[in-house]
Amino acid sequence: MKTVVGVFFGGKSVEHEVSIISAMQVIENLDSEKYDIVPVYISKDNKFYTSELLTKVEEFRDLEETKRMSNEVYFTSEDSKLVLNAKRGLFKKVLAKIDIAFPVVHGLNVEDGTLEGMLEMYNIPYVGCDVCASAVGMNKIIFKKVLEASKLPVVEYETLNVEEFNEDADMAYEKITRTLSLPIIVKPANLGSSVGIEVIKQKDEFKEKMQNVFAFCDSVLVERCVTNLREINCSVLGNFVEQDVSVLEEPIKNDEILSYKDKYMGDGSKSGKLGAKSSKLSGTKGSGMASLSRKIPAELTKSQEDEIYSLAKETFKTLNCEGISRIDFIIDGDSNKIYVNEINTIPGSLSFYLWQPKGISFSELLDRAIRYAIKRKERRDKITYSTDVNILNMTGKK
């Protein structure tokens, strides 16, 4: 009997469309001999839909029409299965029962532990990081503080919230420059895919560029801008007991920072097909992170490779991650120092292209991630979460 996997994607996020691309790649590469696949699309207004149509990327060109042609659902649970019930109709109609959830979501409101929290409440196993690791990984400020407390190397930084900036922008500037010298790089605390990032080189740019960033968030991470840098990425697969690492990549950017356009609108000319089954989703525009120009493997010394692999595993364990993550690093070309930059707890395209050079196919990668999710469910089922004692029954007794 096949395991029913519900692939969750979309959501109220600026990375909504990127999530759709990643999910289509996952759906196409899940082993159909082992799994029955149920697509669960989360609309931008946080409603849930399922339909066979939702397995085809071309059906998402008109999102409103896609929703109209699909079944809106609500959830109930039954024996650790997530039941999808049709929302329309006079009578309750069960459309599917999911054995395991596979979140393929990116960004705020979904990748930040929100979706994982819902799945925890329904007691259904799910692939990837749990609520805590997802929340920490999504918030760049908290992530920095956790790594700093764990003695892992991070670029010097400051923080700023929108109230401080609105109250006195000049004072906010003074706060930042007491710690950091220009140029600085400003990042929304809880967004991914390089959305909303600004580089500030001169004081007269500060107010305008900070306003641009605060359009996406209410708190920002401000870092020393490493001008002579290389970005190196490493994917990690595993749990707190064991971690496997991928080959390393060096993304090729067209500007000072690796932009959203670099990541998702590239022509894929240097990335080839990269092993996805469909040419529609690989090596073409709109193929997600698989379309980014990159060097694989990155050209590094043996000592640099060893240090990055060690830091990648340590970061993964520090956050208690599970499943597939991608950890991004910065090498300062002036000092040759390596810094942990950020983590993607659900990376674009699940970083499958970093595992293929190691002989791990996309299907095998997904299969291994699912096995880790099942192990976690088995482990947690042995934990006592409540007792049989009801203290309310004891009140008032003499």
Side-chain angles (χ1 to χ4, degrees):
M1 188 174 179
K2 294 182 185 179
T3 300
V4 181
V5 177
V7 178
F8 287 70
F9 58 98
K12 187 180 179 182
S13 165
V14 295
E15 299 173 77
H16 183 96
E17 289 78 10
V18 178
S19 169
I20 293 171
I21 294 168
S22 292
M24 296 303 101
Q25 292 171 319
V26 168
I27 287 170
E28 191 168 10
N29 285 277
L30 279 166
D31 188 345
S32 59
E33 296 296 316
K34 291 183 179 181
Y35 308 112
D36 283 330
I37 302 162
V38 177
V40 183
Y41 169 61
I42 310 169
S43 66
K44 292 185 178 182
D45 55 357
N46 280 334
K47 294 179 180 178
F48 295 84
Y49 297 85
T50 191
S51 167
E52 185 65 29
L53 290 173
L54 302 178
T55 62
K56 302 176 178 65
V57 70
E58 57 269 17
E59 296 295 334
F60 292 91
R61 294 192 178 108
D62 185 339
L63 295 179
E64 290 304 313
E65 178 65 12
T66 298
K67 290 193 294 183
R68 192 182 69 80
M69 296 295 291
S70 303
N71 295 299
E72 187 179 352
V73 298
Y74 68 94
F75 304 122
T76 53
S77 61
E78 179 183 303
D79 300 325
S80 294
K81 295 179 186 287
L82 189 67
V83 182
L84 274 60
N85 306 284
K87 200 164 184 180
R88 292 193 290 262
L90 294 176
F91 303 101
K92 181 177 178 180
K93 181 180 180 181
V94 174
L95 298 176
K97 294 183 179 181
I98 292 171
D99 296 311
I100 187 164
F102 201 135
V104 189
V105 289
H106 304 314
L108 190 63
N109 300 315
V110 274
E111 192 183 355
D112 58 357
T114 303
L115 178 59
E116 290 80 3
M118 184 198 79
L119 296 169
E120 291 271 9
M121 292 293 289
Y122 282 108
N123 195 34
I124 180 174
Y126 58 90
V127 174
C129 292
D130 66 9
V131 176
C132 182
S134 299
V136 173
M138 191 75 238
N139 190 300
K140 292 180 175 64
I141 294 173
I142 297 174
F143 176 71
K144 282 272 191 179
K145 291 181 181 294
V146 169
L147 263 60
E148 191 175 40
S150 302
K151 303 296 190 291
L152 291 166
V154 295
V155 174
E156 305 94 287
Y157 70 96
E158 257 295 348
T159 65
L160 189 68
N161 66 57
V162 69
E163 294 298 330
E164 291 176 286
F165 176 74
N166 287 340
E167 185 175 333
D168 192 329
D170 291 327
M171 187 70 73
Y173 178 81
E174 292 300 322
K175 172 189 174 180
I176 298 300
T177 53
R178 276 198 300 267
T179 306
L180 305 173
S181 299
L182 299 180
I184 54 176
I185 184 166
V186 186
K187 304 174 181 178
N190 48 17
L191 292 181
S193 294
S194 300
V195 174
I197 292 178
E198 292 280 3
V199 175
I200 299 175
K201 298 179 181 179
Q202 300 175 20
K203 182 178 181 179
D204 59 10
E205 299 176 335
F206 182 77
K207 289 183 182 179
E208 181 182 352
K209 289 194 173 182
M210 290 300 293
Q211 287 171 342
N212 293 342
V213 182
F214 279 125
F216 293 96
C217 61
D218 58 14
S219 59
V220 297
L221 177 72
V222 186
E223 295 177 319
R224 170 175 67 89
C225 187
V226 180
T227 53
N228 183 15
L229 68 79
R230 295 174 65 189
E231 296 185 47
I232 306 295
N233 299 339
C234 177
S235 182
V236 183
L237 170 69
N239 59 16
F240 63 93
V241 176
E242 56 187 20
Q243 306 85 38
D244 195 7
V245 288
S246 71
V247 300
L248 303 178
E249 68 165 335
E250 180 172 6
I252 298 172
K253 57 186 182 296
N254 295 312
D255 206 339
E256 292 173 303
I257 59 173
L258 190 66
S259 68
Y260 183 95
K261 184 175 180 180
D262 287 330
K263 290 181 176 181
Y264 301 114
M265 303 298 289
D267 62 10
S269 59
K270 296 187 180 182
S271 54
K273 289 191 175 181
L274 296 170
K277 291 179 181 177
S278 171
S279 60
K280 291 183 294 184
L281 292 175
S282 179
T284 61
K285 287 186 179 181
S287 60
M289 282 293 290
S291 69
L292 172 65
S293 296
R294 53 170 58 84
K295 292 179 184 177
I296 300 179
E299 296 176 3
L300 300 166
T301 66
K302 180 67 164 56
S303 63
Q304 286 175 322
E305 284 187 357
D306 290 345
E307 184 176 354
I308 289 172
Y309 282 141
S310 176
L311 289 172
K313 289 181 179 182
E314 196 60 36
T315 301
F316 193 88
K317 288 189 291 182
T318 297
L319 268 66
N320 196 25
C321 292
E322 200 138 7
I324 307 162
S325 291
R326 194 191 77 236
I327 301 168
D328 301 346
F329 297 84
I330 287 175
I331 300 178
D332 187 333
D334 295 328
S335 65
N336 286 322
K337 186 163 183 178
I338 297 172
Y339 299 96
V340 184
N341 188 31
E342 60 183 48
I343 188 169
N344 293 270
T345 54
I346 307 177
S349 299
L350 277 296
S351 294
F352 73 86
Y353 46 86
L354 294 180
W355 294 95
Q356 289 181 330
K358 296 192 71 171
I360 299 174
S361 69
F362 200 171
S363 294
E364 182 183 351
L365 180 68
L366 300 175
D367 195 51
R368 288 175 63 175
I370 288 171
R371 291 204 299 271
Y372 279 116
I374 293 169
K375 284 182 182 178
R376 178 173 59 199
K377 180 66 165 61
E378 292 171 347
R379 191 171 67 241
R380 290 187 172 183
D381 282 346
K382 297 175 183 178
I383 297 174
T384 300
Y385 292 99
S386 63
T387 68
D388 293 331
V389 177
N390 182 356
I391 62 172
L392 299 178
N393 285 337
M394 302 172 67
T395 57
K397 291 185 178 180
K398 296 182 180 178

